[in-house]
Amino acid sequence: MYAVWLLLAVVSGGLIAVQSRLNGELAHGTHDPYAAALISFGSGLVVMSAGLLIAGARRAGRRDAPGGPGRTGPGAVVRAVREHRLKWWQVLGGCGGALLVLSQSLTVTTLGVALFTVAVVAGQTAAGLVFDRRGLGPAGPQPLTAPRIIGSVLVLAAVGVSTAGKLDADFPLWMLALPLVAGACVSWQQAVNGHVRVATGSAPTATFTNFAVGATVLVTVFGVHALAVHPPRTLAPQWYVYCGGPVGIVFIGIAIAAVHHLGVLILGLATITGQLLGSLALNVAFPREGAEVTPSTFVGIAVALVAIAIAALPRRGGGSRTVAGGAPGSTSRTGGSATVTGAGGRPAPSEASDPARCSR
């Protein structure tokens, strides 16, 4: 099952590359990257809202359906915060997604998908290493093993190789800095969204929360920009460039479900694999002027893939990876031993430690 989650994470990374190209084209067609970011994220929110409404109506029509009013959807998130099962800042993962989408709209048409992805990779890998060590994700703290450190350093080296000969191109350096920061925010987004999923017991609810928060941020940014400059006067003629939001639903949903099984760093590295392969495929199949694929791009991606393989090496001593903070009744394994968790990820009492059970 672990391999399945890894494969899904790779697929989700490829979808991020696709969304980057779509949002870049949308920004080019509207001549307004802020409007393009809002359209992309807003369309995702509309689709998720419709999905939750349909699911809620079906559940209400079944008397034997589990749960009830407020047990899923925004009500579940509010209740989890009030009951201190969820910290307020863990609900703000959508801010990271908003920054990623905005950086796509602002920079992809100039940088190209490959260079944009490499910058995101650097931020995502470094942040994933820190967040895993700090235990920010629902999988709990992960040790700083030699393979993880070596893999992260190699990924950063891959960034330098891929950008060789491109830093003197006709674009400001902030265009590289923005996706770098966005990559770090994506790692944080994956970690905290996983907590929302665990607290509510619903991946769709966590995905909806992500889109609601991100759309709120982008509405504010778009409003300020429209007042300061002007609202968009044109729309992109191609229909497919408006599909960035639904594409985002898929890869965010996968990340929310997978982070509980993989941890922040390994999820990030698997996602990065998909991003690198997807961006290379897009730039080869659908090249853009000024975003040519050079030999250094291939070398950089190859180095990054080697880094990902090294960082994902299992720890010595066997045993499965620890998964903590799961749903009530879930099982985590450490060094071959199993621990059944109760509500909130706390170990459930075993029969050996419960005198009442031993007496029965």
Side-chain angles (χ1 to χ4, degrees), residues 33-257:
Y34 302 94
L38 178 58
I39 291 171
S40 176
F41 226 89
S43 63
L45 178 60
V46 170
V47 173
M48 281 304 305
S49 300
L52 285 179
L53 287 174
I54 293 172
R58 289 181 176 178
R59 189 166 51 250
R62 292 171 51 202
R63 294 183 179 180
D64 60 339
R71 292 188 180 273
T72 58
V77 178
V78 173
R79 188 174 61 258
V81 173
R82 287 178 177 174
E83 295 175 356
H84 304 290
R85 292 182 288 110
L86 199 61
K87 296 179 177 64
W88 65 267
W89 52 267
Q90 291 175 327
V91 181
L92 303 180
C95 296
L99 181 59
L100 176 66
V101 171
L102 185 59
S103 65
Q104 290 170 346
S105 300
L106 285 169
T107 67
V108 164
T109 53
T110 302
L111 298 179
V113 176
L115 188 54
F116 171 86
T117 299
V118 168
V120 171
V121 162
Q124 193 172 357
T125 304
L129 190 67
V130 174
F131 295 157
D132 249 5
R133 183 70 183 95
R134 300 279 296 181
L136 189 63
Q142 305 294 320
L144 281 176
T145 61
R148 288 179 174 226
I149 295 174
I150 293 172
S152 299
V153 171
L154 283 177
V155 165
L156 296 178
V159 175
V161 173
S162 297
T163 56
K166 296 182 180 180
L167 292 180
D168 58 349
D170 190 20
F171 59 79
L173 289 180
W174 67 264
M175 283 195 171
L176 277 180
L178 186 59
L180 185 73
V181 174
C185 290
V186 166
S187 254
W188 176 76
Q189 175 194 29
Q190 292 170 341
V192 297
N193 281 350
H195 282 288
V196 177
R197 187 260 181 191
V198 170
T200 62
S202 170
T205 295
T207 306
F208 171 82
T209 303
N210 176 89
F211 274 94
V213 171
T216 301
V217 172
L218 291 174
V219 164
T220 304
V221 172
F222 170 75
V224 172
H225 178 261
L227 289 174
V229 186
H230 58 77
R233 298 188 176 93
T234 60
L235 290 175
Q238 302 92 343
W239 64 268
Y240 57 87
V241 299
Y242 296 95
C243 297
V247 170
I249 290 175
V250 178
F251 71 70
I252 290 174
I254 291 174
I256 287 172

Side-chain angles (χ1 to χ4, degrees), residues 13-14 23 43 45 114 127 157 165 199 221 228 286 294 330 335 349 356:
N23 287 346
S43 63
L45 178 60
V221 172
F286 308 102
T294 64
S330 61

